[in-house]
């Protein structure tokens, strides 16, 4: 009877052990024990499966366990284990497992320390659980929240820059305000707008925010250098009419001042062309603290909208300036037109009536001008008018006294 009872207990223990192993496999939960005096370590079969070690060849020790953990987390895990000898638990720590094929697992270690009657730690018993699914979900959630937060920052810049069109009519003021919004509202480290000068094509920074005088001077030196100007990121963006995104600024060969920017806390940047009538007129550059700030597809769409909004603002202001110019100036000669001439004459009359001074008005007429138009064509006549106007400007002490 005693043998039968022993056999029944053995079968029961084996059945219980089998159920425990099955439960550990389902829960991806291994168990381990470390005898602190001898350093003897025991792992369950599931622990070997989690760490992907062969029970036949891998002898678990604390040092061998640490060797499986990536170097950047090894000290963290070891110090957490050693600190647990000072007081009762429970304790826990999370770490990664990086495999040669590129796979990554996330493991949570939980344990408690057993003390003898004298308060000396004698052994540690714990579990290792594969929490990769939970951890990857947490990471995805964090990345999604970060992506949305970054998109909201750029959208804030876009919406506030869009509102500038209705209240600012000076180009330089608008561009400086756009840069200020990018830094203050979008929380970018710095921002800059460069414009190509008509005719020469020379690229010049016309607005910025967050940039130190040292960096601004270095940028201006680069853009004015015949040797380096064409190799700058701004020049490439304008030449290709396509944005350039630098996800990791430090060491990127496209950024000629990467050392200065990195020292100023810049991790990534986006350079966007400003295109008007299919011609690149400039570029706007946003500098972010974090690397990989501009990665998502939605970010690219928002950045394109921002560049388009700034370009539209430039077009609107230039056209308004052109209308204002045509309201008061002759488009052919650049001299004041009839409207501005009459306003100035009226003002001078009022001023001279008060002072008692006299006015003289000179009228210039070009003899036989019609014959030039008739024989040489209107283009030749226009060229003559421009030449005469320029001669008058060059020989007048005050060009505002002239009009056509």
């Amino acid at each position: 009877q005693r043998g039968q009872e022993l056999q029944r207990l053995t079968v029961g223990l084996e059945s219980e052990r089998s159920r425990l192993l099955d439960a550990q496999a389902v829960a991806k939960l291994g168990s381990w024990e470390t005898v602190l005096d001898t350093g003897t370590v025991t792992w369950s079969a599931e622990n070997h499966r989690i760490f992907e070690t062969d029970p036949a060849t891998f002898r678990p020790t604390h040092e061998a366990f640490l060797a499986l953990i990536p170097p950047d987390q090894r000290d963290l895990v070891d110090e957490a284990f050693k600190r647990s000898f000072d007081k009762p638990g429970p304790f826990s720590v999370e770490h990664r497992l990086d495999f040669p094929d590129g796979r990554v697992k996330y493991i949570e270690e939980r344990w408690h320390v057993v003390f003898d009657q004298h308060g000396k730690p004698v052994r540690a018993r714990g579990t290792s659980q594969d929490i990769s699914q939970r951890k990857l979900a947490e990471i995805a959630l964090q990345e999604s929240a970060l992506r949305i937060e970054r998109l909201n920052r750029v959208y804030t810049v876009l919406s506030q820059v869009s509102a500038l069109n209705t209240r600012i009519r000076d180009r330089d003021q608008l561009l400086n305000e756009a840069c200020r919004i990018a830094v203050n509202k979008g929380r970018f480290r710095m921002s800059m707008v460069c414009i190509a000068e008509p005719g020469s094509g020379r690229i010049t920074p016309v607005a910025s925010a967050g940039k130190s005088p040292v960096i601004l001077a270095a940028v201006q030196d680069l853009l004015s250098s015949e040797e380096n100007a064409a190799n700058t990121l701004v020049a490439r963006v304008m030449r290709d009419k396509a944005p350039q995104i630098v996800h990791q600024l430090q060491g990127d060969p496209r950024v000629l001042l990467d050392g200065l920017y990195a020292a100023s806390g810049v991790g990534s940047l986006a350079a966007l062309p400003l295109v008007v009538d299919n011609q690149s007129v400039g570029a706007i550059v946003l500098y972010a603290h974090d690397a990989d700030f501009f990665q998502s597809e939605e970010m690219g769409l928002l950045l394109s909208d921002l560049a388009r909004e700034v370009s539209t603002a430039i077009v609107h202001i230039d056209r308004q300036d052109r209308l204002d110019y045509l309201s008061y100036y002759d488009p052919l000669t650049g001299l004041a037109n009839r409207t501005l001439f009459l306003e100035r004459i009226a003002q001078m009359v009022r001023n001279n009536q008060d002072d008692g001074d006299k006015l003289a008005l000179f009228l210039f007429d070009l003899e036989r001008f019609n014959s030039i138009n008739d024989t040489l064509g209107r283009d030749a006549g226009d060229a003559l008018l421009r030449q005469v106007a320029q001669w008058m400007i060059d020989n007048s002490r005050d060009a505002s006294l002239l009009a056509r």
Side-chain angles (χ1 to χ4, degrees):
Q1 287 182 346
R2 217 177 321 175
Q4 291 176 346
E5 180 67 17
L6 183 61
Q7 185 178 9
R8 188 181 66 79
L9 289 174
T10 301
V11 171
L13 285 172
E14 283 299 320
S15 178
E16 188 66 30
R17 180 174 179 276
S18 177
R19 284 197 297 271
L20 177 61
L21 291 176
D22 288 344
Q24 286 188 351
V26 170
K28 297 182 178 180
L29 182 72
S31 59
W32 53 268
E33 182 180 71
T34 300
V35 179
L36 300 178
D37 282 346
T38 64
T40 303
V41 179
T42 306
W43 277 13
S44 70
E46 183 60 24
N47 230 52
H48 282 285
R49 277 194 290 271
I50 289 173
F51 283 83
E52 301 188 18
T53 56
D54 185 354
T57 58
F58 180 80
R59 189 173 76 86
T61 64
H62 184 65
E63 289 71 24
F65 159 71
L66 289 175
L68 297 172
I69 298 173
D72 64 310
Q73 294 188 324
R74 205 168 286 162
D75 290 342
L76 172 71
V77 174
D78 189 35
E79 290 170 5
F81 184 63
K82 290 176 179 176
R83 282 197 304 269
S84 68
F85 302 162
D86 299 331
K87 57 183 179 180
F91 303 94
S92 66
V93 69
E94 294 179 5
H95 63 82
R96 293 191 327 273
L97 293 178
D98 296 339
F99 294 97
D101 61 1
R103 288 180 301 116
V104 176
K105 283 185 179 180
Y106 293 90
I107 311 300
E108 182 182 57
E109 307 286 350
R110 289 184 174 273
W111 72 97
H112 71 275
V113 177
V114 178
F115 296 84
D116 64 14
Q117 65 270 28
H118 304 294
K120 178 183 176 182
V122 293
R123 67 183 66 238
R125 295 193 182 106
T127 60
S128 302
Q129 185 172 21
D130 184 349
I131 59 169
S132 298
Q133 288 184 333
R134 187 189 82 194
K135 196 69 178 177
L136 290 173
E138 290 176 358
I139 292 172
L141 189 61
Q142 291 169 357
E143 289 177 347
S144 177
L146 181 61
R147 179 175 59 85
I148 292 171
E149 185 264 341
R150 288 173 172 175
L151 289 173
N152 282 335
R153 286 165 56 183
V154 177
Y155 182 75
T156 298
V157 175
L158 172 60
S159 59
Q160 295 202 17
V161 167
S162 178
L164 296 179
N165 280 335
T166 61
R167 60 186 181 85
I168 297 180
R169 292 183 57 184
D170 178 78
R171 190 194 70 174
D172 290 347
Q173 182 185 354
L174 183 141
L175 296 178
N176 274 294
E177 185 65 12
C179 288
R180 187 195 66 79
I181 289 171
V183 171
N184 293 348
K185 302 299 182 180
R187 303 201 307 278
F188 286 100
R189 176 63 186 85
M190 53 184 75
S191 60
M192 177 180 69
V193 175
C194 294
I195 296 294
E197 295 178 357
S200 69
R202 183 173 179 267
I203 303 171
T204 306
V206 296
S208 69
K211 286 200 170 191
S212 68
V214 172
I215 292 181
L216 270 178
V219 170
Q220 288 169 339
D221 287 344
L222 272 179
L223 291 174
S224 61
S225 166
E226 293 184 3
E227 180 182 356
N228 296 317
N231 297 322
T232 61
L233 200 60
V234 168
R236 292 181 183 181
V237 163
M238 293 179 60
R239 188 165 55 244
D240 299 338
K241 299 179 192 174
Q244 292 260 359
I245 308 297
V246 179
H247 296 298
Q248 304 279 342
L249 183 136
Q250 186 73 47
D252 193 302
R254 293 175 294 172
V255 185
L256 302 184
L257 299 176
D258 62 317
L260 268 178
Y261 285 128
S264 299
V266 176
S268 58
L269 66 82
L272 314 168
L274 302 177
V275 180
V276 174
D277 296 332
N278 203 33
Q279 296 294 320
S280 289
V281 299
I284 180 169
V285 189
L286 301 176
Y287 305 79
H289 291 276
D290 302 327
D292 301 319
F293 183 95
F294 303 98
Q295 273 195 324
S296 70
E297 182 179 349
E298 299 95 330
M299 179 68 76
L301 295 175
L302 278 179
L303 292 174
S304 296
D305 287 345
L306 176 62
R308 191 159 41 248
E309 199 64 46
V310 176
S311 300
T312 300
I314 291 174
V315 171
H316 177 74
I317 289 175
D318 286 349
R319 286 176 179 170
Q320 189 61 51
D321 288 347
R322 180 65 176 166
L323 287 174
D324 291 344
Y325 178 84
L326 293 177
S327 298
Y328 291 100
Y329 290 92
D330 171 42
L332 180 64
T333 63
L335 299 178
N337 65 9
R338 179 185 180 87
T339 301
L340 182 56
F341 169 71
L342 292 177
E343 287 184 7
R344 286 175 173 172
I345 284 292
Q347 181 63 41
M348 288 179 179
V349 168
R350 287 193 295 271
N351 292 341
N352 282 276
Q353 283 177 341
D354 295 337
D355 298 337
D357 294 334
K358 294 181 179 180
L359 282 176
L361 176 62
F362 292 85
L363 298 178
F364 295 84
D365 187 29
L366 300 182
E367 296 291 342
R368 296 183 300 280
F369 179 71
N370 287 337
S371 64
I372 294 176
N373 278 337
D374 294 339
T375 56
L376 300 178
R378 183 171 293 278
D379 289 343
D382 288 347
L384 177 60
L385 288 175
R386 285 193 293 268
Q387 185 176 354
V388 171
Q390 190 59 50
W391 178 86
M392 294 174 67
I393 292 170
D394 292 341
N395 289 279
S396 169
R397 62 180 178 85
D398 186 357
S400 68
L401 299 174
L402 306 174
R404 176 174 179 237

